[in-house]
Structure formats: structure tokens, C-alpha cells
Amino acid sequence: MTPALDFHYSDERFADVQMLRYRLDGFELLSLQQKELIYYLSQATLYGRDITFDQFGRYNLRIRRTLEAVYTDAAIARDNDDFRALTVYLKRIWFSNGIHHHYGCEKFAPGFSPDYLRQALKLVDVSRLPLTDGQSVEALCDELFPVIFDPDVMPKRVNKADGDDLVVTSACNFYQGVTQQEAEAYYAEKKRQCATPEELPSFGLNTTLVKDAGTLREETWTTEGRYANALRRIVFWLEKAKTVAENKAQQEVIDLLIQYYRTGDLRLFDRYSIAWLQMLDSRIDFINGFIEVYGDPLGLKGSWEGLVEYVDEEATKRTQTISSHAQWFEDHSPVNPRFRKPVVKGVSARVICAAMLGGDEYPSTAIGINLPNADWIRARYGSKSITISNITDAYNRAAHGNGFREEFVIDEPTFAMIEQYGDDCDNLHTDLHECLGHGSGQLLPGVDTDALKAYGNTIEEARADLFALYFLADRKLVELGLLPNDEAYKAEYYTYMMNGLMTQLVRIEPGRQIEEAHMRNRALIARWCLKQGQSMELVRRKGKTYLRILSYEELRRQVATLLAEIQRIKSEGDYEAARRLVEDYAVKVDPQLHEEVLGRYRQLNLAPYKGFINPWLKPVKDAEGRITDISVDYTESYEHQMLRYSTDYATLA
């Protein structure tokens, strides 16, 4: 029996993070074959962890292992402020897959001194330290300490400041000795030489770009190249998953992924992506690979991520209703007809339960995903969307009654409306964003998919959010039975705009600007609509700032206008217009409003970020060693899980 737990929170909180747990509801009803498949895919997911750490910074793995050696050594005194500060620092590194904040990308400031760490390392068994051949402990300190303690060394994992060399000034480990201009020219030439520009591969997605003796070359991430040991372990478990696949289509998808990992051939990745999005008859599904490009300032390199999932069949009825009407939504979009898809193809959407998170999806994870990312595949074959029900449920349970809405919502009627409709509207907004928003619209012939460069991610997220906001207020959703009445959408409009204008600022340190693409997207939309006037305003009451919606109908018209412009920018590849929108509305922070919001939030004693502890899946075997069941253990602590992963799933030297 699984012990009863409070799934609102775990007992773990540190820095700006609160850890949560997610339930595997309905897992016990799956067949043994399905459970075994989930277990093998979960192993393949967990073995990618070290890749993500290395991608996010070249020193991350060595710093993590150095601090873990100190943290677990019996010779180190634990009852002192320095050790407690080191503990928090290490937990933040675990959470962010490196020394930079998972969301803001700024480097963590350790609360302990270099002298403390140096003395502690002298007490640690040197065999447990990540020393290179012949390296002394002192030399290790000399190498790592500037990275840990000097705020000017590798200060940002992803820098998007306009005017900077974004490659040189970003600490992510996708480029070595390369400038932004060189990288952009290199991949522009690869596109120019492509024999099939109508099926353009995602050049650069699975490589490190290196300059040796003045020559650029790519190190491909394969079972025989960079990250070989990790990818071999992933392939090992994918091979086992193939033996218990639910059907031939799923088996073929797994086999294509294995071939891709062995060769690094991006054409194979495209074949895999097409087969994956067409695999709709399986209850079990997964994401495993170099996928999202938010961790690269140029939006080219894919961070490794993993997700194992099974369908939430009841909740999927909602997303299937949306996807079955995809053509109606496309035809009624307020964008120029030139930018709409004449025929919407292959739109599928499911609500799923996450069974295991890994890589860039762990411990912090998305609540919805739409893939594949290649525009030509979307246009020709469609896309697959998921909304993760057990993750959103955990978030919602943690949010209710914590005082946040009471503090920032302007009045009782608005608060009551949000309490009544907010969760359902938020889920529906995610469905529309992922199922239809990302898959809507089309590029004009000849437009480069990377034309918007560093602004592409923000523009794309804004496009999907605007699409969702626009249709959330449409009578069609009431007719389809997805919303109870014509007033419910207002709950999402209010919370979305409040977040974009004010409350997401709790995630930013004083004096910093907005960097993360999703935060920039929300700020862009909310601030642009605010500037237009007539729909909403910020007002002061008893010394506090609140959002007041003056006209929800006018706000929807503004959303339509901005959606039309954002789609034009995307369809035409208008880089300058994208740059102006983002720089004018999405980056800068009002310091006075920021200070006020931070002060009000501090009084609530809440953590602005949430992450998840994975369940521990354990095979149950009979006397002959055959798997008879997979048990689910929810009791593992954050600390134990992270140290276990660092031991059991260590793959990179």
C-alpha cells in the first residue's frame, strides 16, 4: 500500500523553490506490459540527466560532483551556517541542472566563502572528487572557484540583451570559441546549400559548434560522438522498451529514435518526428531527445529532455473536441487570410498523466507541450499536443488558499469569478495554446524558419497565447460544452493580464530585466494591451497597485489586433518588427512597481517557483527474476532522489 501523503506540497522548500509531488492516477489499472513499458522508458529518461547538466554549462557536472562529495562526506561538520548555505546552493544546482537559475538564467551567488569550501575539500577523500589526470585539490579549486564565486565569470546561462554578442556572453555549452556572427553565418550557409529547402532539417539541433585553428566544425551528439556514454545507456533502455511496445507503430517509432541517436542524422530525426506525431493508437507515449531550443540564445540547439506519459482518457475528451474543430478555429482566426492554413492537417491532442520527468523537464516542467517544432512538418503532417493533467492538478492544489489571489486581485467579485472558473479556464487556455495555437498559421513561401533569430521564441509563444486568449472568449467554446457560459473566459483574461503586468515580477531579482521567453511573451501581450487604453488600467488603492479591467470586450479586440500583427511578423519573417515589439514591451521592468510587488509577495511567505519530485518506479519480480508488477513509491525525499540520480544515472566523466 502507498502511504497517504499531502500532495499539495512535499516537506521540501529552499531558496525560491517549493517542491511538489504528482500522482500516477490510474497507473494501477494499466496492464503489466504497459507498466513495464513505462518503466523502461523511464530509465531511458533518467539516463539523460548528465547531458542536460553539461549543455547548461561546461563546469556544471564537475561543480555538482565536487559539492556532492563535500555534502555527503562524514568528515564535514554539518551544524554551521556555511554548510547550511552550501546545502541550499547544491539544491539549487540540482533543481536548475547547473549553476544558473532555471528561469531567469542568472548565476547563483553562494552563501558560503571560498575559504570554507577550500578547507572542506581538504577533508574529502580525493578519490571522490572530479580531478583530471594528475590534478591536485588546489588546482581543482583554482579551476572551479572563479566560476562559482566570481559574479563576472559566466554570469548568464542565456543572454538575450539587445546589442550583445549573445553566443560569447552566454554560459550555455553549445558553442566553443565561436561568435554569434560566425554561428549565424555557418548555419545560414548550411541552409543555402540544402538540396531540399522545402524539407529543411533543424540544422544545429544536435551538435556543439566548435572553432579549431580558425575552422568551424560540429561535434554531433551520438552514441559514438559527444555524449556517447549517456546516449548508449538511453539506447539500451529504448531497446528493452521496444520488446514490450504496445503495437508495431510504437515499435517503429522507438526504432527510429534509436537509429537517430546512433547516427545523428537529422533526416532520421524528421522521420522519427513524423512517425511519432502519427502514433495515436498507443496509451503510452514519450518524449526523449534534443527538443526545445530555449536554452540556446540563437534558438538552434536542442536541450535534452525526457517525459514518459500515459493518456488520461476522460480528460482527453476535452482536447479531442478542440482538435476535431481545428479547421473552424483556423478559418475564424482574426489574422490576414494569407497567413492562415487553407487545410489544417494532423492536429491531435491528448490530456496525459506524466509518469516520469527528466532532463530539461525535471524538476521544473511544462504543463503543456506541442511538437514537433519543424514548421514544414507541422504544415504537411500536423502536430501532437499534450496537456499534463497530474502536473496542473498539483499546481492547482498548491495554489488554492495560499493568499496569493486575495492579495493581488482587485475586488471580491473578481476574486469569486476566478475561484469559480479560473482552474478550468487555465486548463482550456493551455489546451488551445498547445493544440491549436502553435499549429496555426503558415509561413509565406521562402521565409526562413529562423528569420526572427533571438526573438523567435518570444514571438512564437506570444502567437500561441494570443490565439488561445482570442478563442477562449468565443461563443464557440460554450456551444462545444467546454465553458459553462459567456462570462467564464473573463477569469483567464484577468489572471493572465495581472500576471503579465505585475505578478510574474516576483520571479525576477531587483535590478534585472525580463529574459525568459515565456515571461517576455506575457509581458509583451499585457503591456501592449495596456498601452492601447480603453480595456484596462492599473489603479492604486490603499497604497497598493491593482489591475482593473474596464472592458473585456475591448480587451478581446486588442488581443485580435495584436494576434494579427504577431502572425504577420512570423509569416513574413519581419525581424525588425519582432525586435521592436519585444524590446519595447517585453524586456524592461518598472523598478517601483517591481519593488512593491516583491514586498507584497514576501509577506505571503510563498515560493515563486515549483518543481517536482519524481515517483520511484520499482520492478516487482518473482523467484525466476521475471517482472510481475511495477510499484510506485512516493516517499523519496528530494535530497535522496538527487543523490541517487547522481550515483545511479551518472554517465559523463
Side-chain angles (χ1 to χ4, degrees), residues 5 13 49 77 83 121 138 245 281 343 355 357 366 377 390 411 421 459 463 499:
L5 295 174
R13 178 172 172 175
R49 180 175 183 246
F83 186 85
L121 287 171
E138 281 296 324
D281 294 330
V343 179
L357 309 172
I377 295 179
N390 55 343
D411 54 34
Y421 301 122
I459 292 298
R463 192 176 71 90
N499 189 28

mmCIF file of all heavy atoms in Angstrom, residues 5 13 49 77 83 121 138 245 281 343 355 357 366 377 390 411 421 459 463 499:
data_model
loop_
_atom_site.group_PDB
_atom_site.id
_atom_site.type_symbol
_atom_site.label_atom_id
_atom_site.label_comp_id
_atom_site.label_asym_id
_atom_site.label_seq_id
_atom_site.Cartn_x
_atom_site.Cartn_y
_atom_site.Cartn_z
ATOM 1 N N LEU A 5 -0.326 10.685 1.443
ATOM 2 C CA LEU A 5 0.525 11.870 1.518
ATOM 3 C C LEU A 5 -0.280 13.104 1.158
ATOM 4 O O LEU A 5 -1.281 13.039 0.446
ATOM 5 C CB LEU A 5 1.708 11.747 0.536
ATOM 6 C CG LEU A 5 2.722 10.633 0.802
ATOM 7 C CD1 LEU A 5 3.720 10.579 -0.346
ATOM 8 C CD2 LEU A 5 3.440 10.871 2.108
ATOM 9 N N ARG A 13 11.474 22.774 0.940
ATOM 10 C CA ARG A 13 11.469 24.126 0.399
ATOM 11 C C ARG A 13 12.847 24.727 0.629
ATOM 12 O O ARG A 13 13.447 24.562 1.689
ATOM 13 C CB ARG A 13 10.393 24.983 1.079
ATOM 14 C CG ARG A 13 10.398 26.423 0.582
ATOM 15 C CD ARG A 13 9.219 27.197 1.123
ATOM 16 N NE ARG A 13 9.344 28.597 0.794
ATOM 17 C CZ ARG A 13 8.426 29.513 1.039
ATOM 18 N NH1 ARG A 13 7.297 29.160 1.644
ATOM 19 N NH2 ARG A 13 8.619 30.767 0.717
ATOM 20 N N ARG A 49 20.110 12.753 -17.764
ATOM 21 C CA ARG A 49 20.281 13.866 -16.825
ATOM 22 C C ARG A 49 21.622 14.583 -16.983
ATOM 23 O O ARG A 49 21.679 15.817 -17.030
ATOM 24 C CB ARG A 49 20.130 13.347 -15.398
ATOM 25 C CG ARG A 49 20.273 14.399 -14.298
ATOM 26 C CD ARG A 49 19.968 13.761 -12.955
ATOM 27 N NE ARG A 49 20.017 14.696 -11.848
ATOM 28 C CZ ARG A 49 20.916 14.650 -10.861
ATOM 29 N NH1 ARG A 49 21.866 13.708 -10.871
ATOM 30 N NH2 ARG A 49 20.886 15.511 -9.870
ATOM 31 N N ALA A 77 31.695 18.851 9.077
ATOM 32 C CA ALA A 77 30.729 19.281 10.097
ATOM 33 C C ALA A 77 29.505 19.894 9.426
ATOM 34 O O ALA A 77 29.637 20.710 8.504
ATOM 35 C CB ALA A 77 31.384 20.284 11.044
ATOM 36 N N PHE A 83 27.878 25.300 6.011
ATOM 37 C CA PHE A 83 27.370 24.044 5.458
ATOM 38 C C PHE A 83 25.904 24.180 5.061
ATOM 39 O O PHE A 83 25.487 23.652 4.024
ATOM 40 C CB PHE A 83 27.541 22.904 6.454
ATOM 41 C CG PHE A 83 27.162 21.572 5.876
ATOM 42 C CD1 PHE A 83 28.077 20.837 5.148
ATOM 43 C CD2 PHE A 83 25.876 21.068 6.038
ATOM 44 C CE1 PHE A 83 27.723 19.611 4.590
ATOM 45 C CE2 PHE A 83 25.522 19.847 5.488
ATOM 46 C CZ PHE A 83 26.454 19.117 4.759
ATOM 47 N N LEU A 121 37.213 20.837 1.184
ATOM 48 C CA LEU A 121 37.710 19.912 0.171
ATOM 49 C C LEU A 121 38.975 19.192 0.620
ATOM 50 O O LEU A 121 39.253 18.069 0.177
ATOM 51 C CB LEU A 121 37.959 20.658 -1.144
ATOM 52 C CG LEU A 121 36.692 21.076 -1.905
ATOM 53 C CD1 LEU A 121 37.030 21.982 -3.077
ATOM 54 C CD2 LEU A 121 35.932 19.850 -2.390
ATOM 55 N N GLU A 138 44.114 21.658 -4.874
ATOM 56 C CA GLU A 138 44.335 23.100 -5.042
ATOM 57 C C GLU A 138 44.083 23.527 -6.480
ATOM 58 O O GLU A 138 43.486 24.575 -6.736
ATOM 59 C CB GLU A 138 45.764 23.464 -4.622
ATOM 60 C CG GLU A 138 45.969 23.580 -3.127
ATOM 61 C CD GLU A 138 45.150 24.707 -2.501
ATOM 62 O OE1 GLU A 138 44.989 25.756 -3.156
ATOM 63 O OE2 GLU A 138 44.657 24.526 -1.375
ATOM 64 N N ALA A 245 6.574 -2.974 -26.602
ATOM 65 C CA ALA A 245 5.780 -1.921 -27.247
ATOM 66 C C ALA A 245 4.334 -2.375 -27.407
ATOM 67 O O ALA A 245 4.045 -3.569 -27.564
ATOM 68 C CB ALA A 245 6.382 -1.558 -28.601
ATOM 69 N N ASP A 281 -2.516 5.421 -31.565
ATOM 70 C CA ASP A 281 -3.275 4.288 -31.047
ATOM 71 C C ASP A 281 -2.659 3.697 -29.788
ATOM 72 O O ASP A 281 -3.086 2.633 -29.332
ATOM 73 C CB ASP A 281 -3.385 3.194 -32.120
ATOM 74 C CG ASP A 281 -4.209 3.651 -33.308
ATOM 75 O OD1 ASP A 281 -5.112 4.479 -33.102
ATOM 76 O OD2 ASP A 281 -3.939 3.193 -34.434
ATOM 77 N N VAL A 343 -5.821 24.279 -45.290
ATOM 78 C CA VAL A 343 -6.242 22.975 -44.793
ATOM 79 C C VAL A 343 -5.390 22.639 -43.577
ATOM 80 O O VAL A 343 -4.158 22.564 -43.673
ATOM 81 C CB VAL A 343 -6.088 21.872 -45.860
ATOM 82 C CG1 VAL A 343 -6.515 20.531 -45.283
ATOM 83 C CG2 VAL A 343 -6.881 22.208 -47.112
ATOM 84 N N ALA A 355 4.411 10.200 -16.068
ATOM 85 C CA ALA A 355 4.867 9.081 -15.247
ATOM 86 C C ALA A 355 6.321 9.241 -14.835
ATOM 87 O O ALA A 355 6.749 8.644 -13.852
ATOM 88 C CB ALA A 355 4.689 7.769 -15.999
ATOM 89 N N LEU A 357 9.657 12.429 -15.276
ATOM 90 C CA LEU A 357 10.219 13.650 -15.840
ATOM 91 C C LEU A 357 11.729 13.527 -15.869
ATOM 92 O O LEU A 357 12.334 12.958 -14.966
ATOM 93 C CB LEU A 357 9.827 14.867 -14.993
ATOM 94 C CG LEU A 357 8.349 15.048 -14.658
ATOM 95 C CD1 LEU A 357 8.179 16.190 -13.657
ATOM 96 C CD2 LEU A 357 7.549 15.332 -15.925
ATOM 97 N N ALA A 366 7.066 21.721 -17.973
ATOM 98 C CA ALA A 366 5.974 22.389 -18.676
ATOM 99 C C ALA A 366 4.648 21.746 -18.269
ATOM 100 O O ALA A 366 4.608 20.620 -17.789
ATOM 101 C CB ALA A 366 6.173 22.264 -20.181
ATOM 102 N N ILE A 377 7.119 20.292 -41.116
ATOM 103 C CA ILE A 377 6.408 19.088 -40.670
ATOM 104 C C ILE A 377 5.018 19.456 -40.164
ATOM 105 O O ILE A 377 4.028 18.772 -40.459
ATOM 106 C CB ILE A 377 7.212 18.344 -39.585
ATOM 107 C CG1 ILE A 377 8.523 17.817 -40.162
ATOM 108 C CG2 ILE A 377 6.383 17.199 -39.008
ATOM 109 C CD1 ILE A 377 9.393 17.094 -39.154
ATOM 110 N N ASN A 390 -1.886 15.631 -14.309
ATOM 111 C CA ASN A 390 -1.476 15.451 -12.909
ATOM 112 C C ASN A 390 -0.494 16.527 -12.463
ATOM 113 O O ASN A 390 -0.382 16.809 -11.266
ATOM 114 C CB ASN A 390 -0.926 14.047 -12.662
ATOM 115 C CG ASN A 390 0.222 13.659 -13.579
ATOM 116 O OD1 ASN A 390 0.453 14.281 -14.619
ATOM 117 N ND2 ASN A 390 0.937 12.610 -13.207
ATOM 118 N N ASP A 411 -10.867 42.983 -6.351
ATOM 119 C CA ASP A 411 -12.068 43.053 -5.508
ATOM 120 C C ASP A 411 -12.685 41.668 -5.358
ATOM 121 O O ASP A 411 -12.296 40.707 -6.027
ATOM 122 C CB ASP A 411 -13.094 44.038 -6.081
ATOM 123 C CG ASP A 411 -13.468 43.771 -7.528
ATOM 124 O OD1 ASP A 411 -13.495 42.584 -7.925
ATOM 125 O OD2 ASP A 411 -13.721 44.734 -8.270
ATOM 126 N N TYR A 421 -14.135 29.882 -11.933
ATOM 127 C CA TYR A 421 -13.821 29.472 -13.300
ATOM 128 C C TYR A 421 -12.321 29.364 -13.599
ATOM 129 O O TYR A 421 -11.950 28.858 -14.659
ATOM 130 C CB TYR A 421 -14.414 30.484 -14.291
ATOM 131 C CG TYR A 421 -15.903 30.653 -14.210
ATOM 132 C CD1 TYR A 421 -16.468 31.907 -13.948
ATOM 133 C CD2 TYR A 421 -16.761 29.572 -14.412
ATOM 134 C CE1 TYR A 421 -17.838 32.083 -13.887
ATOM 135 C CE2 TYR A 421 -18.144 29.742 -14.350
ATOM 136 C CZ TYR A 421 -18.673 30.999 -14.087
ATOM 137 O OH TYR A 421 -20.031 31.167 -14.030
ATOM 138 N N ILE A 459 8.213 35.518 -29.806
ATOM 139 C CA ILE A 459 7.137 35.770 -30.764
ATOM 140 C C ILE A 459 6.256 34.529 -30.916
ATOM 141 O O ILE A 459 5.023 34.620 -30.968
ATOM 142 C CB ILE A 459 7.711 36.205 -32.128
ATOM 143 C CG1 ILE A 459 8.363 37.591 -32.008
ATOM 144 C CG2 ILE A 459 6.638 36.208 -33.204
ATOM 145 C CD1 ILE A 459 7.416 38.708 -31.622
ATOM 146 N N ARG A 463 2.333 34.304 -29.996
ATOM 147 C CA ARG A 463 1.359 33.916 -31.021
ATOM 148 C C ARG A 463 0.413 32.840 -30.499
ATOM 149 O O ARG A 463 -0.814 32.934 -30.647
ATOM 150 C CB ARG A 463 2.117 33.412 -32.251
ATOM 151 C CG ARG A 463 1.293 33.230 -33.500
ATOM 152 C CD ARG A 463 2.198 32.823 -34.654
ATOM 153 N NE ARG A 463 2.669 31.465 -34.480
ATOM 154 C CZ ARG A 463 2.039 30.379 -34.943
ATOM 155 N NH1 ARG A 463 0.901 30.521 -35.614
ATOM 156 N NH2 ARG A 463 2.519 29.175 -34.752
ATOM 157 N N ASN A 499 -0.878 38.743 -14.359
ATOM 158 C CA ASN A 499 0.418 38.087 -14.334
ATOM 159 C C ASN A 499 1.416 38.810 -15.237
ATOM 160 O O ASN A 499 2.550 39.092 -14.839
ATOM 161 C CB ASN A 499 0.262 36.628 -14.779
ATOM 162 C CG ASN A 499 1.516 35.810 -14.565
ATOM 163 O OD1 ASN A 499 2.313 36.087 -13.676
ATOM 164 N ND2 ASN A 499 1.699 34.783 -15.376
#
